[in-house]
Amino acid sequence: MIVDLPGTTSGDVSGHLVRIRDEGGAVALGRVLTLVIETGPHEVEAAIFAANAASREHPCRIVVLDRGHPPRSGGLDAQIRVGADAGASEVVVLRPGAAVTEEIDTLVIPLLLPDAPVVAWWTSEVPDEPSRDPIGAMASRRITDALTCPDPLGTLERLRASYSPGDTDLSWARCTIWRAQVAAVLDQPPYEPVTSATVSGNARHPVPALLAGWLARGLRCPVSVVDADSSASMTGVRLERRHGPISLERPDGSKVATLTQPGHPQQRIVLPPRTVSDALAEELRRMDPDETYGRTLTRGLDHVEMP
């Protein structure tokens, strides 16, 4: 069900949510968090789709700040989506006018679930300091997506300079399965130290840089990123050891990677690119700061050789 509320206030929107819940049986008692999303032009539906998919694992109230569609009323227009239009969540879309944009946090506060953590997600444009942003300041977790910005690596550098515990980026979740596979291989005999490592992929994307920073921080060895001239963020990882290299390669456009290591037959491993919904669902699994991401971003990248 979709309810449009032109020329409204946050208090009225909250009241409508209560009436919809009482009259239609849509309950919010199982919601575990409030997800506040800031979107730009033409991003609202994609963001809601990803959040609805993630909400099936993490039931939540979704509050979307739509910056791309000025309200017809000049003040605040809103829309409520529940039931089949909202996954396992309640969706509130706010379209603030210029008169109320400066007080954006006061629009959101009445819609927060009581006694539940708040997570902020910027789908493209990233604040200079997410933790000091009006929305970010009320959130225990702040999710950015450097990959969608015009200058992904430049954005990653800005996030690095302004990092605060609780910050994370979807590019970190995009490389989770690569990190898991590398860790699993290194957890097997002969336990030789890695002397150097190479990460290949699209060097303009932040995913190879973060994976390389994680390797440099954990292995204490030289790590370089090689531009594979690929549309995919990641295409491979190569770890050099005394008795031969370990190689995990995924051809551009494939969902299957090949693992090669000395003394073992080649293995084919399903390693599909992760969707925004997958990455978002992973980041919503924890409300505490991701210390590994923080160390990788602020310290590991110092030891990565970029092309």
Side-chain angles (χ1 to χ4, degrees), residues 222-237:
V223 181
S224 59
V225 174
V226 175
D227 192 354
D229 192 23
S230 165
S231 60
S233 294
M234 284 290 307
T235 58
V237 177

Side-chain angles (χ1 to χ4, degrees), residues 108-288:
V108 173
I109 289 173
L111 300 172
L112 302 179
L113 291 173
D115 302 320
V118 178
V119 178
W121 173 31
W122 294 270
T123 59
S124 56
E125 187 177 344
V126 175
D128 291 334
E129 294 185 75
S131 63
R132 294 181 178 271
D133 179 85
I135 298 301
M138 67 177 68
S140 56
R141 291 276 283 167
R142 296 168 294 276
I143 304 172
T144 54
D145 194 353
L147 186 59
T148 63
C149 296
D151 180 10
L153 292 183
T155 300
L156 199 65
E157 283 299 317
R158 287 201 294 117
L159 292 172
R160 181 184 179 191
S162 64
Y163 173 78
S164 180
D167 293 354
T168 190
D169 192 88
L170 291 185
S171 295
W172 178 245
R174 289 187 179 102
C175 69
T176 294
I177 52 179
W178 286 87
R179 288 185 280 122
Q181 289 296 335
V182 170
V185 171
L186 293 178
D187 201 31
Q188 301 173 10
Y191 310 114
E192 291 180 325
V194 176
T195 56
S196 66
T198 303
V199 176
S200 58
N202 189 327
R204 295 175 295 281
H205 288 193
V207 177
L210 286 172
L211 181 60
W214 174 74
L215 289 171
R217 178 73 181 162
L219 299 178
R220 309 288 183 177
C221 69
V223 181
S224 59
V225 174
V226 175
D227 192 354
D229 192 23
S230 165
S231 60
S233 294
M234 284 290 307
T235 58
V237 177
R238 183 181 176 91
L239 308 176
E240 301 291 344
R241 299 199 297 189
R242 185 166 63 90
H243 283 98
I246 297 171
S247 173
L248 182 63
E249 300 290 336
R250 184 184 68 189
D252 193 6
S254 176
K255 296 181 179 180
V256 179
T258 300
L259 174 64
T260 305
Q261 52 185 325
H264 295 270
Q266 277 192 347
Q267 294 178 257
R268 290 171 60 82
I269 300 170
V270 178
L271 210 63
R274 306 194 80 185
T275 65
V276 174
S277 300
D278 294 335
L280 180 61
E282 178 180 322
E283 292 297 350
L284 294 180
R285 286 176 195 146
R286 61 183 304 165
M287 292 296 110
D288 59 315

Side-chain angles (χ1 to χ4, degrees), residues 6-165:
T8 187
T9 66
S10 294
D12 287 341
V13 174
S14 181
H16 270 83
L17 283 168
V18 173
R19 287 193 290 275
I20 289 172
R21 184 167 65 244
D22 291 342
E23 296 170 5
V27 297
L29 298 179
R31 308 300 188 238
V32 297
L33 59 92
T34 303
L35 176 62
V36 183
I37 308 173
E38 287 209 47
T39 69
H42 315 298
E43 297 174 349
V44 173
E45 295 306 322
I48 292 175
F49 177 85
N52 281 345
S55 75
R56 302 187 188 282
E57 183 176 337
H58 312 280
C60 59
R61 174 173 291 175
I62 299 169
V63 179
V64 182
L65 295 171
D66 180 2
R67 303 286 196 163
H69 296 85
R72 295 191 299 272
S73 65
L76 175 68
D77 288 353
Q79 184 182 81
I80 296 174
R81 305 184 188 185
V82 296
D85 295 294
S89 61
E90 300 165 321
V91 179
V92 178
V93 181
L94 302 178
R95 298 187 175 99
V100 295
T101 297
E102 296 300 323
E103 302 173 351
I104 199 69
D105 53 335
T106 63
L107 295 180
V108 173
I109 289 173
L111 300 172
L112 302 179
L113 291 173
D115 302 320
V118 178
V119 178
W121 173 31
W122 294 270
T123 59
S124 56
E125 187 177 344
V126 175
D128 291 334
E129 294 185 75
S131 63
R132 294 181 178 271
D133 179 85
I135 298 301
M138 67 177 68
S140 56
R141 291 276 283 167
R142 296 168 294 276
I143 304 172
T144 54
D145 194 353
L147 186 59
T148 63
C149 296
D151 180 10
L153 292 183
T155 300
L156 199 65
E157 283 299 317
R158 287 201 294 117
L159 292 172
R160 181 184 179 191
S162 64
Y163 173 78
S164 180

